[in-house]
Amino acid sequence: MGAYQLQVQIDADSGFCFGVVYAIDMAEEILEQDGYLYCLGDIVHNDEEVERLKAKGLRIIDHSQLAGLHNEKVLIRAHGEAPETYRMALENNIMLIDASCPVVLKLQNRIKTSHDDNEKIVIFGKHGHAEVIGLQGQTNGEALVFQDIAELDNVELPQKFTLYSQTTKSTDKFYGIKSELLNRGYEVKANDTICRQVSNRDKDLPEFAARFDKIVFVSGKKSSNGKVLFEVCRKHNPNTYFVSAVDELSPDMFAPGDKVGISGATSTPMWLMEQVKAELERY
């Protein structure tokens, strides 16, 4: 124990969601067997975890590199992929190790069915996000994507459309958007496709955050889910710090005897939160 004697506790509900656990387990199994494995895009939005897996032989590639690859194994991460990726893999004799999250796959199927039924589709999601690109791919790129309701102010929307959401968005925001669009006179068929493992954290986190003097929120800067959950923490505990790695911590963030809670995104590995805890206990 350091001189500060901080009381530190990790949020038991934080850490990888099952989709990410599944993808990483799959990757590690093949890496052990083959010594290397290609992965399309970052396996998880956390640089520390990506580095750990790269050291074991994971090779991150993008779609243009996939086009030049033949007769190899390639992992599809939890975010899922557009139909185009599967077509390319067939042409290049690539064996796809599909670790798409089942929640994402179910959403892709629902969007594809909607599109096949000629429904106009609007998706609440982050522009350019891997999951969203996969979702838009189910509609031949015809779906309209927006990440903020203000984006729809100057857009001519069809009178009647079907609304979907990226799986990691906030449920409150989604329902707020739905009612705002109904108020504007549109006929909206809304499909709540938000992952409950993620959205339930929105509900449990406020209670966790309020129990401590300070919160250290551990997440990669690229994680959408991390940004959402960090804001939830900060709203219920203004003394919340966002850190991506142990070296971003310093003793002057804390006072002796502080009760400190550690939480993280669904893409934050538990080993990283354990490292943060060990560092804080040295203060």
Side-chain angles (χ1 to χ4, degrees), residues 24-122:
I24 288 172
D25 283 353
M26 237 179 203
E28 291 193 304
E29 211 168 291
I30 293 167
L31 288 170
E32 211 146 285
Q33 209 176 290
D34 298 355
Y36 76 97
L37 172 65
Y38 291 100
C39 175
L40 193 52
D42 280 345
I43 189 163
V44 62
H45 288 152
N46 186 279
D47 294 342
E48 281 67 28
E49 180 66 0
V50 170
E51 287 309 317
R52 184 184 76 82
L53 290 163
K54 273 186 180 167
K56 293 187 168 200
L58 192 72
R59 302 172 184 176
I60 308 281
I61 57 168
D62 61 24
H63 290 84
S64 64
Q65 291 166 299
L66 180 72
L69 212 59
H70 293 80
N71 318 319
E72 290 283 2
K73 284 181 191 166
V74 176
L75 181 87
I76 287 182
R77 59 204 172 152
H79 299 99
E81 279 293 324
E84 186 49 44
T85 301
Y86 293 85
R87 267 202 297 278
M88 195 188 291
L90 265 175
E91 279 167 24
N92 291 6
N93 192 33
I94 285 168
M95 180 182 170
L96 288 179
I97 313 293
D98 198 341
S100 301
C101 164
V103 179
V104 175
L105 283 178
K106 187 175 158 194
L107 170 54
Q108 285 187 354
N109 287 331
R110 287 176 69 175
I111 288 182
K112 186 181 185 318
T113 305
S114 278
H115 179 70
D116 291 347
D117 290 343
N118 292 318
E119 294 177 7
K120 299 272 186 269
I121 296 166
V122 177

Side-chain angles (χ1 to χ4, degrees), residues 123-174:
I123 300 170
F124 171 45
K126 183 180 173 184
H127 293 293
H129 187 283
E131 181 193 323
V132 175
I133 291 169
L135 299 176
Q136 224 180 350
Q138 309 304 318
T139 70
N140 285 328
E142 290 167 28
L144 173 76
V145 173
F146 71 100
Q147 56 190 34
D148 195 288
I149 187 108
E151 288 175 46
L152 300 179
D153 289 349
N154 307 313
V155 174
E156 259 194 60
L157 288 175
Q159 181 47 38
K160 180 182 180 179
F161 58 84
T162 306
L163 178 68
Y164 286 98
S165 167
Q166 180 181 344
T167 58
T168 50
K169 286 292 179 200
S170 137
T171 34
D172 290 353
K173 263 207 180 121
F174 178 74

